[in-house]
Amino acid sequence: MDAVARFAGLVERPDPPLDRAALAIAAGADPALDAEPWLAELDRLADGVHSLDDLLRRLFVERRFAGNTRDYTDPRNSLLDHVLRRRLGIPITLAVVAIEVGRRAGVALEGVGMPGHFLVRPTGTPRHLDVFAGGAELSMAECERLFRASSGTGRRTPFGPHLLATAPTTAILTRMLLNLRGTYRARRRPHDLEWVLRMRLALPGADLTDLLELAETLGDQGRWVEGARLLEERAETVTAARALQLRASARALRAHLN
């Protein structure tokens, strides 16, 4: 089973496993990836952890996990096997490590989908931790400053608990894929962008914009007919206005063959 099919099979479950789904994303970049050694590594990281303080000490003092401030957009920062191997990541993948080590150790953590900078918090508490900064605990004022600095949002946008909502597993996976989409798009890597978009389409909230981008990505690889057929097939299942848009894009792809 290829990585996209494995990922789609995992996320169709009512409560998909975050660790395995994140490793399925990583397998998109490395089809030979075996998830089991990395699941075992998460087990090892959790061994002997009995509290939140233990967890933070294990990850950020003993094992020296850290935010990659030198090359934030390196795609390896979004691939869980590389994060576990290099002990470098971005906020959301370091959060996945913390959440999954905590789950194994009986220390319940949840993701916090703050725009611009992902956080974690102990489940059922008002505490917010920045795992990109070694698990530092943030006040609400510090959360706001981080939000404005990372998102570029000015004072006209109000800040409050509505921007610190719990992120369910599917939202975490979607955000991981969106990060990879931006990275691979900027680096002009259509082959990698293809599997990212196919995984995105397996998650809730995907729309025609994602489908159109996938078709364009196929065209960037010289697979114009495949991209056109993808759009033409979907045109049979949507409203008339959207079908017109899809068929027009399909014609544009086929025009490359003339």
Side-chain angles (χ1 to χ4, degrees), residues 23 34 50 72 74 81 96 135 141 144-145 152 163 166 187 203 222 227 230 237 241:
L23 286 165
D34 181 1
H50 304 292
Y72 192 92
D74 185 331
D81 61 319
V96 170
E144 180 175 359
R145 284 196 292 271
L163 295 178
T166 299
R187 294 177 182 233
L203 284 165
L230 181 72
T237 67

Side-chain angles (χ1 to χ4, degrees), residues 21 56 99 105 152 162 183 240:
L56 297 177
I99 290 167
H162 66 290
T183 294

Side-chain angles (χ1 to χ4, degrees), residues 15-246:
D15 186 19
L18 177 59
D19 50 1
R20 290 188 177 275
L23 286 165
I25 290 176
D30 178 11
L33 179 67
D34 181 1
E36 296 308 317
W38 302 110
L39 296 170
E41 176 63 12
L42 290 167
D43 294 341
R44 284 190 289 272
L45 288 169
D47 186 38
V49 171
H50 304 292
S51 67
L52 177 60
D53 286 343
D54 287 345
L55 187 152
L56 297 177
R57 187 180 309 109
R58 173 64 49 81
L59 294 182
F60 304 113
V61 178
E62 296 174 9
R63 300 302 175 89
R64 298 184 181 180
F65 279 85
N68 191 346
T69 57
R70 296 186 65 181
D71 192 0
Y72 192 92
T73 62
D74 185 331
R76 293 176 296 179
N77 295 331
S78 295
L79 304 171
L80 184 56
D81 61 319
H82 286 282
V83 174
L84 289 168
R85 180 187 295 113
R86 302 168 70 226
R87 299 176 189 172
L88 283 174
I90 55 176
I92 195 163
T93 46
L94 293 169
V96 170
V97 173
I99 290 167
E100 282 300 316
V101 171
R103 181 177 67 81
R104 287 163 165 78
V107 179
L109 296 173
E110 60 189 20
V112 178
M114 186 174 76
H117 196 101
F118 202 83
L119 303 172
V120 301
R121 67 174 157 237
T123 303
T125 77
R127 301 172 64 189
H128 296 96
L129 307 177
D130 182 4
V131 290
F132 192 73
E137 185 165 352
L138 305 178
S139 66
M140 282 295 287
E142 289 168 328
C143 287
E144 180 175 359
R145 284 196 292 271
L146 183 57
F147 160 70
R148 298 200 188 281
S150 58
S151 67
T153 303
R155 291 286 174 181
R156 291 186 178 181
T157 300
F159 181 84
H162 66 290
L163 295 178
L164 297 170
T166 299
T169 297
T170 52
I172 294 174
L173 298 171
T174 297
R175 192 153 164 172
M176 290 176 69
L177 290 169
L178 292 178
N179 287 335
L180 280 167
R181 180 169 71 177
T183 294
Y184 288 139
R185 185 191 290 158
R187 294 177 182 233
R188 300 183 183 277
R189 290 169 56 173
H191 174 76
D192 286 307
L193 185 54
E194 178 188 344
W195 64 259
V196 168
L197 290 167
R198 289 189 184 278
M199 289 186 185
R200 174 70 188 97
L201 286 162
L203 284 165
D207 57 24
L208 289 186
T209 301
D210 300 299
L211 187 71
L212 287 164
E213 186 173 2
L214 174 56
E216 291 169 4
T217 298
L218 293 172
D220 289 340
Q221 299 173 69
R223 294 155 61 190
W224 300 294
V225 172
E226 185 178 348
R229 286 176 177 167
L230 181 72
L231 299 179
E232 289 160 353
E233 289 170 4
R234 181 62 65 89
E236 300 298 325
T237 67
V238 297
T239 63
R242 291 184 173 182
L244 284 173
Q245 179 186 8
L246 291 173

